[in-house]
Amino acid sequence: MKKYSKRSALIALVFIMMISSSGCWNYRDINEVSIAAGMAIDKNPENNKYIQTVEFIHPSGGKEIKMEPSIISIEGSTIFDGIRNMIAKKGKKVYWSHAKVVIISQDIAKEGIAKILDFIMRDAETRADLWLLVSIEKTAGEILRGKEMEHNGTSFHLDDQFKNAKSISKYPTVELYKFIDDLSSEGISPILPAAVMTKTETEEIIPEIYGTAVFKKDKMVGLLDDIESRSMLFVKNEIKGGVIVELNVTDENVDVTLEIFKSKTKLKSVLRDEKLLMKIDVEIDAGIGEIASSEDLIAKEGQEKLIKKTENSIKNQIADVINKVQKEYESDIFGFGSTIHREMPSLWEKIKADWDDMFIELDTEVNVKLNIKGSALTSKPIKIGD
Amino acid sequence: MINSKIVNVKVLSMVKIIRKQKNGETKPLNDSSPIKSFAENIKALKQLLESDESITFRNFETKDSAECVLIFVDGMADRKVINENILEPLMNTSICEISDKSQVPDYLMNKALLSDSVKKTDDIDEIIDSILYGETALLIDGIDDVLLINTKGWKVRSIEEPSAERAVRGPREGFVESIIINISLIRRKIKSPDLKFMFKEIGSITKTKVCLCYIQGLTNEKILNELVKRLDSIDIDGILASGYIEEFISDAPLSPFRTIGYTERPDVVAGKLLEGRIAIIADGEPCVLTVPFIFVEYLQASEDYYDNYIFASINRLLRYLAFFLSTSVTPIYLAFVTYHQEMIPTPLLLSIAASREGLPFPTIVEALAMAVVFEIIREAGVRLPEHIGSAVTIVGILVIGQAAVDARFISAPMVIITALTGISSLLIYNMKGALIFIRIAFIILSGFLGLYGYIFGVIGLFIHLFSIRSFGIPYMLNTGSFSPQDQKDMLIRAPWWYMYYRPKLIGSKKPIRQSNTTKRGKKLI
């Protein structure tokens, strides 16, 4: 009996110690934190401090739940400093695990963004799958401050824009970890989507994602527009959907829109005449989404014309964007270097020091193959009678 | 106690009344005392059964005026049997012409008494016990022995469907309070000479009849012997229900989990007997115990075996899910909301946060309070007279459900979660005691340590479940087995033509359940 009570006393002791020494250390009820949805980072040119604009979501109400976004800006010498300064204004501690986006201003992006990403990557609460984007407006804060229509908060609006990007494929989607991965790898430079503000008919200003910000190392060097972005995504094999518009296929005003079902790009580095050549083979499966003409492009003859023309224009677009990046931005955002690294490791060891210069001069060969598939082949265009 | 009885008995003189001593020896009590008269014997019996007015002494004479008396308990004995089968023939019989008086009882047993069971005895304890159990004692002037005639006949509840174990498909009969009827219900299902019944008497005052029931050749004798040993060691004044026995013979008396099963359905008992288990029937209670009992039996319902096996398997899986839900939903919710907000999807987080905005109590207090309130409503509902049942429902739904949320005392998600927990626990109502205990323990662990604590709780629960045994059979028998044969009656209920074997260990004495013909028949399908 004595042994028994000793044992139970021991168990009780273990429990008490377990609970009192480790229990509750991180206890906080869900309503005791401010849920941050997104952050925009600017730099104050006057005192060189960071201005952080944070969007919070305030859920409230019993039966009818209301989500009210609120935006607070704060200054800090570093990112973490600014975030802690937030308590002085906000009261509650900021909770970062549900933050969706981090918007970086153009100024900071041009200066280099590695140092501000450290906190976001290091902190335990922030997620590595945050969307990163660059504001090409004057400040990043105004993107967050912009009105949006669908959601309770701009951050969620931006989150949706990225989540559904695969059906448009005109801007890249970059999570934090992907950016840092590209930044730290050899033979590839990172990119980020860019955001602008546009007016709607009701004179509201809403954020819009438009094009790509090109980085060299961690500094932004330039922009690509939407078609250039798509061509760039073709090269990077990141196209999962979207549409291709082919104007004036056979004649004036014969416009066809193709919907991409599947796209596969193979990069292959080859040595031809002692010279490096990057072969880019794009194979696209697409369906006819819209024929804005009564001309028959379904029949074999018309279809061949359509395929040929589209293949050609995609090929040109891709060649153009490669050329632009090579000549203007001099940054290997396509990952040609890492392809060579993967396929010819011994050669890469020799050329890696000079890769930046070699990239500019790198020859490329683009081949595009378009397959038209899908049930739209059976439905004839609308005929206009007399 | 014994002494006072002996004094009483001494007054009696049934010529040579024998008393059983405690050490088991028998010895004639009043060998030396002179033969007392018939009147004195009756007087003595009256004295022994003094101040019990339910006992009737009926004096009468046989055809040739031999004095007799019938002693029986009003209400326990069947008056019709006494009148027609005892009084009438005796009053028309002459016994005086029999010269050898010791032949009289045999003569009556053979020629006069219209009863299936008549016993001759001179043991005073047996006489008293029999009278109190509904038999009728016949004393005749000048005869040494007392005749005990079976006239048992009291009112019993009719056989009806047990309300706690209803089945849509399957037999609708349930056990009643009479052990004899209960035995007959089992016997009717298993018409085999191997079906054995072993009677015991437990309770020094109540003298409750307890019957062990098993199928010889299927039951493991070691388990049977162990059970008999444990039953024999029970020393208590009274047993009113099988629950008393259950606690005395349980392997894990401190555990919230039962290691002995109970059921009110004869078909379930028959099914368990066929698997090599042993049933314990106690007189006076419709719940029959079965041993050994393992964990999965909580999750098996009788209907599983009567209905389509696909449907039955779905139901079985639902019961496993219900076990998880009713123990774990509240603790996991609590851990997520108070420690691991990052694990909740954003829209859900926002709506939980909205409903919790401005609430007075921390989530753990809310969780504990709601768990207790649910148990209060449940307990009230169980023991309530039927016509106030609706009041509890109204209070439960309106006050706890709506008003508390509207008044912003309790958050709406917590009400939903408590309701889900409650409904789930009703799916496995058998396990209610263990479920409440586990749920409260998990809530406290989660509230103090988050998911970490919950995982601790789960590990502790598993260690406990895997460590206990029921009559030597591991409680979680076959749970960890990957052999399909072992899993046929666990997570799913396999088709009958596929269950060739009896459960491992329990029915291992004769493991084959079906012949090869059935197997061949299966192949034809």
Side-chain angles (χ1 to χ4, degrees):
Chain A
M1 195 63 209
K2 203 185 164 194
K3 203 179 158 194
Y4 205 69
S5 61
K6 233 182 186 175
R7 209 178 109 191
S8 42
L10 199 71
I11 291 170
L13 197 72
V14 166
F15 259 88
I16 291 165
M17 276 171 31
M18 191 166 87
I19 285 169
S20 59
S21 58
S22 66
C24 306
W25 75 271
N26 203 18
Y27 182 96
R28 58 184 166 199
D29 256 318
I30 216 163
N31 46 333
E32 287 167 11
V33 291
S34 307
I35 301 158
M39 173 165 68
I41 304 170
D42 283 299
K43 203 156 198 185
N44 188 344
E46 286 163 22
N47 55 10
N48 233 10
K49 278 188 171 180
Y50 290 108
I51 304 168
Q52 287 154 56
T53 311
V54 181
E55 184 181 43
F56 295 98
I57 302 294
H58 292 282
S60 65
K63 269 189 180 165
E64 281 174 41
I65 291 171
K66 274 182 264 169
M67 311 274 179
E68 280 165 9
S70 73
I71 287 173
I72 287 180
S73 283
I74 197 97
E75 280 192 7
S77 315
T78 61
I79 304 292
F80 195 27
D81 182 41
I83 281 170
R84 279 295 152 92
N85 287 345
M86 196 73 77
I87 296 177
K89 266 196 181 180
K90 182 77 191 150
K92 292 174 178 176
K93 218 180 136 195
V94 187
Y95 185 62
W96 285 103
S97 288
H98 287 270
K100 301 288 180 202
V101 289
V102 171
I103 307 165
I104 293 154
S105 77
Q106 217 175 341
D107 297 341
I108 295 180
K110 280 174 181 161
E111 251 172 56
I113 63 170
K115 55 183 177 180
I116 63 159
L117 291 183
D118 181 76
F119 168 76
I120 304 168
M121 202 62 191
R122 190 181 299 278
D123 191 68
E125 274 182 10
T126 49
R127 289 177 187 236
D129 63 351
L130 284 170
W131 302 114
L132 277 187
L133 65 155
V134 171
S135 158
I136 49 177
E137 296 290 334
K138 222 161 137 202
T139 62
E142 65 191 275
I143 303 280
L144 272 189
R145 287 204 162 84
K147 279 255 188 306
E148 49 76 37
M149 296 171 294
E150 300 268 319
H151 304 81
N152 305 297
T154 316
S155 307
F156 294 136
H157 182 73
L158 291 167
D159 183 37
D160 272 3
Q161 282 169 330
F162 288 120
K163 271 186 191 157
N164 299 321
K166 62 167 185 276
S167 311
I168 164 163
S169 294
K170 280 182 181 168
Y171 49 84
T173 59
V174 182
E175 290 106 336
L176 174 63
Y177 72 86
K178 214 163 105 191
F179 182 84
I180 292 190
D181 219 32
D182 286 352
L183 188 61
S184 48
S185 310
E186 283 177 354
I188 188 161
S189 287
I191 47 167
L192 283 182
V196 292
M197 303 300 290
T198 48
K199 271 192 184 148
T200 62
E201 288 114 33
T202 49
E203 294 294 303
E204 279 176 326
I205 298 179
I206 59 162
E208 187 193 335
I209 315 281
Y210 183 83
T212 308
V214 178
F215 281 73
K216 191 180 169 81
K217 300 245 164 59
D218 68 329
K219 293 182 179 64
M220 179 177 150
V221 287
L223 284 166
L224 299 176
D225 68 12
D226 52 354
I227 298 298
E228 286 170 340
S229 295
R230 188 180 68 200
S231 306
M232 182 251 332
L233 290 173
F234 266 125
V235 180
K236 282 171 76 81
N237 192 21
E238 282 179 17
I239 297 273
K240 293 198 179 73
V243 295
I244 305 166
V245 179
E246 192 56 44
L247 299 174
N248 309 332
V249 180
T250 50
D251 207 350
E252 281 286 307
N253 292 328
V254 182
D255 304 339
V256 178
T257 311
L258 299 172
E259 187 182 359
I260 302 168
F261 296 145
K262 211 173 107 189
S263 164
K264 177 115 186 104
T265 306
K266 276 186 190 146
L267 293 183
K268 201 161 169 53
S269 52
V270 284
L271 277 171
R272 191 179 285 171
D273 308 332
E274 300 282 308
K275 233 183 146 201
L276 259 176
L277 173 81
M278 190 56 66
K279 277 179 86 174
I280 300 152
D281 297 317
V282 185
E283 192 175 350
I284 306 163
D285 289 352
I288 294 173
E290 185 183 342
I291 303 175
S293 160
S294 55
E295 194 161 328
D296 189 3
L297 292 169
I298 304 294
K300 205 183 170 197
E301 204 180 319
Q303 207 188 107
E304 269 173 9
K305 266 186 205 160
L306 170 69
I307 290 175
K308 202 145 209 171
K309 184 131 194 302
T310 316
E311 279 177 351
N312 235 336
S313 56
I314 294 173
K315 187 177 165 179
N316 290 338
Q317 284 166 3
I318 293 176
D320 284 351
V321 76
I322 293 175
N323 196 39
K324 184 177 180 183
V325 171
Q326 276 179 324
K327 298 289 162 322
E328 275 183 45
Y329 304 141
E330 304 176 1
S331 166
D332 182 11
I333 55 173
F334 308 106
F336 291 157
S338 64
T339 308
I340 297 168
H341 186 184
R342 198 164 53 240
E343 288 176 359
M344 305 171 169
S346 51
L347 179 71
W348 174 252
E349 287 301 317
K350 281 182 231 156
I351 63 169
K352 114 177 145 181
D354 310 319
W355 176 245
D356 284 355
D357 300 329
M358 281 183 77
F359 169 73
I360 302 163
E361 302 295 325
L362 186 70
D363 291 334
T364 54
E365 184 189 305
V366 184
N367 298 308
V368 177
K369 185 163 171 22
L370 176 71
N371 308 314
I372 291 188
K373 290 186 172 178
S375 58
L377 286 177
T378 54
S379 54
K380 293 262 188 298
I382 303 161
K383 286 258 191 267
I384 301 161
D386 296 320
Chain B
M1 190 186 82
I2 284 167
N3 275 342
S4 67
K5 216 168 181 182
I6 289 172
V7 172
N8 277 333
V9 168
K10 269 184 180 167
V11 185
L12 250 189
S13 70
M14 295 302 222
V15 185
K16 48 174 175 58
I17 284 171
I18 294 167
R19 256 196 91 85
K20 279 195 180 106
Q21 295 298 92
K22 240 207 160 163
N23 56 18
E25 286 174 27
T26 58
K27 64 170 188 184
L29 255 185
N30 300 7
D31 248 359
S32 53
S33 57
I35 298 167
K36 293 278 167 61
S37 76
F38 173 68
E40 269 177 79
N41 277 341
I42 293 178
K43 197 179 153 199
L45 264 175
K46 270 188 174 160
Q47 216 165 359
L48 205 58
L49 298 167
E50 198 187 0
S51 70
D52 184 345
E53 286 161 16
S54 69
I55 292 165
T56 311
F57 289 79
R58 166 74 164 94
N59 294 299
F60 66 100
E61 283 176 15
T62 58
K63 204 176 180 184
D64 49 356
S65 301
E67 259 191 83
C68 302
V69 67
L70 283 177
I71 310 168
F72 59 90
V73 180
D74 203 6
M76 296 281 281
D78 190 337
R79 281 167 182 277
K80 205 176 161 202
V81 174
I82 294 173
N83 292 343
E84 288 175 10
N85 302 352
I86 302 173
L87 280 177
E88 196 186 325
L90 280 179
M91 284 179 175
N92 293 324
T93 311
S94 310
I95 53 169
C96 291
E97 62 230 36
I98 299 165
S99 50
D100 186 357
K101 286 286 179 238
S102 63
Q103 292 296 311
V104 172
D106 290 320
Y107 173 79
L108 289 178
M109 276 161 78
N110 294 339
K111 305 240 162 141
L113 292 167
L114 302 175
S115 175
D116 57 343
S117 157
V118 183
K119 239 184 327 181
K120 195 167 68 171
T121 186
D122 52 7
D123 180 347
I124 183 70
D125 281 349
E126 196 184 342
I127 295 166
I128 301 279
D129 286 352
S130 302
I131 292 172
L132 294 178
Y133 199 44
E135 286 178 27
T136 300
L138 170 66
L139 281 76
I140 305 157
D141 192 10
I143 310 295
D144 299 344
D145 287 321
V146 174
L147 286 178
L148 295 174
I149 308 147
N150 183 13
T151 54
K152 284 179 198 131
W154 53 82
K155 288 280 174 281
V156 288
R157 190 165 60 94
S158 62
I159 295 169
E160 47 197 43
E161 189 176 18
S163 57
E165 291 170 80
R166 284 183 200 280
V168 178
R169 190 169 168 186
R172 298 257 194 284
E173 57 189 11
F175 286 123
V176 292
E177 282 74 7
S178 157
I179 192 167
I180 301 298
I181 294 176
N182 289 350
I183 287 171
S184 75
L185 286 172
I186 296 172
R187 177 84 80 183
R188 257 182 17 215
K189 301 227 179 269
I190 306 172
K191 295 164 208 78
S192 160
D194 286 337
L195 179 67
K196 304 290 180 196
F197 294 93
M198 184 198 287
F199 281 92
K200 302 219 155 278
E201 205 177 76
I202 303 177
S204 56
I205 296 177
T206 59
K207 298 199 185 356
T208 309
K209 277 220 163 67
V210 173
C211 175
L212 295 187
C213 175
Y214 60 95
I215 297 178
Q216 203 167 36
L218 289 187
T219 303
N220 189 337
E221 269 104 22
K222 278 185 191 160
I223 297 176
L224 184 66
N225 293 340
E226 176 66 24
L227 178 62
V228 170
K229 205 180 93 195
R230 289 189 197 177
L231 284 177
D232 284 343
S233 65
I234 298 175
D235 179 20
I236 190 175
D237 57 349
I239 285 198
L240 300 179
S242 53
Y244 289 48
I245 302 171
E246 183 184 333
E247 285 191 12
F248 276 115
I249 63 172
S250 171
D251 286 70
L254 297 176
S255 170
F257 290 94
R258 281 205 311 268
T259 53
I260 290 159
Y262 76 82
T263 179
E264 278 188 61
R265 298 180 63 94
D267 51 318
V268 173
V269 170
K272 299 212 166 179
L273 290 177
L274 285 173
E275 287 183 343
R277 291 189 169 83
I278 308 165
I280 306 161
I281 313 163
D283 198 12
E285 216 228 341
C287 286
V288 171
L289 304 179
T290 55
V291 289
F293 179 81
I294 57 173
F295 184 77
V296 278
E297 286 176 66
Y298 273 131
L299 305 158
Q300 297 169 338
S302 63
E303 214 177 330
D304 286 358
Y305 300 97
Y306 309 142
D307 225 323
N308 174 297
Y309 66 89
I310 296 172
F311 180 58
S313 299
I314 292 171
N315 283 341
R316 175 103 25 114
L317 288 170
L318 277 179
R319 270 176 237 125
Y320 277 91
L321 179 69
F323 176 66
F324 168 75
L325 289 179
S326 79
T327 52
S328 300
V329 171
T330 321
I332 290 177
Y333 170 80
L334 176 64
F336 276 10
V337 168
T338 54
Y339 291 97
H340 316 285
Q341 289 92 348
E342 65 274 7
M343 291 179 79
I344 313 174
T346 311
L348 183 61
L349 175 99
L350 292 176
S351 76
I352 293 173
S355 61
R356 282 208 46 79
E357 194 59 46
L359 287 193
F361 306 115
T363 316
I364 179 170
V365 174
E366 228 180 24
L368 279 175
M370 285 305 281
V372 172
V373 164
F374 175 77
E375 297 307 332
I376 290 173
I377 295 174
R378 178 191 59 77
E379 185 64 14
V382 169
R383 240 154 289 293
L384 215 60
E386 247 172 75
H387 48 277
I388 0 179
S390 56
V392 170
T393 325
I394 291 166
V395 169
I397 293 170
L398 288 184
V399 177
I400 312 297
Q402 268 192 291
V405 174
D406 285 352
R408 306 199 61 65
F409 274 25
I410 303 272
S411 68
M414 190 49 88
V415 175
I416 297 167
I417 281 180
T418 309
L420 179 66
T421 306
I423 296 283
S424 306
S425 67
L426 295 182
L427 234 69
I428 30 173
Y429 195 68
N430 267 352
M431 218 198 280
K432 56 188 183 294
L435 285 182
I436 298 166
F437 177 79
I438 295 170
R439 192 183 312 140
I440 302 281
F442 279 8
I443 288 175
I444 290 170
L445 279 170
S446 282
F448 282 108
L449 297 164
L451 269 190
Y452 184 64
Y454 167 73
I455 296 297
F456 258 127
V458 171
I459 292 171
L461 174 68
F462 271 65
I463 290 175
H464 174 67
L465 283 176
F466 277 90
S467 70
I468 53 181
R469 279 162 185 270
S470 171
F471 287 86
I473 306 295
Y475 200 49
M476 299 300 269
L477 184 67
N478 290 346
T479 317
S481 166
F482 286 108
S483 139
Q485 188 56 51
D486 291 342
Q487 294 299 333
K488 278 178 189 172
D489 203 10
M490 302 280 292
L491 278 171
I492 55 154
R493 201 275 284 171
W496 270 114
W497 40 258
Y498 195 48
M499 289 203 263
Y500 308 135
Y501 304 108
R502 298 203 160 78
K504 226 197 231 167
L505 295 176
I506 299 167
S508 57
K509 228 186 143 205
K510 208 173 168 191
I512 308 287
R513 185 166 215 160
Q514 295 178 18
S515 69
N516 289 327
T517 350
T518 0
K519 278 191 214 175
R520 257 183 253 123
K522 181 227 133 195
K523 272 178 193 154
L524 288 175
I525 301 164

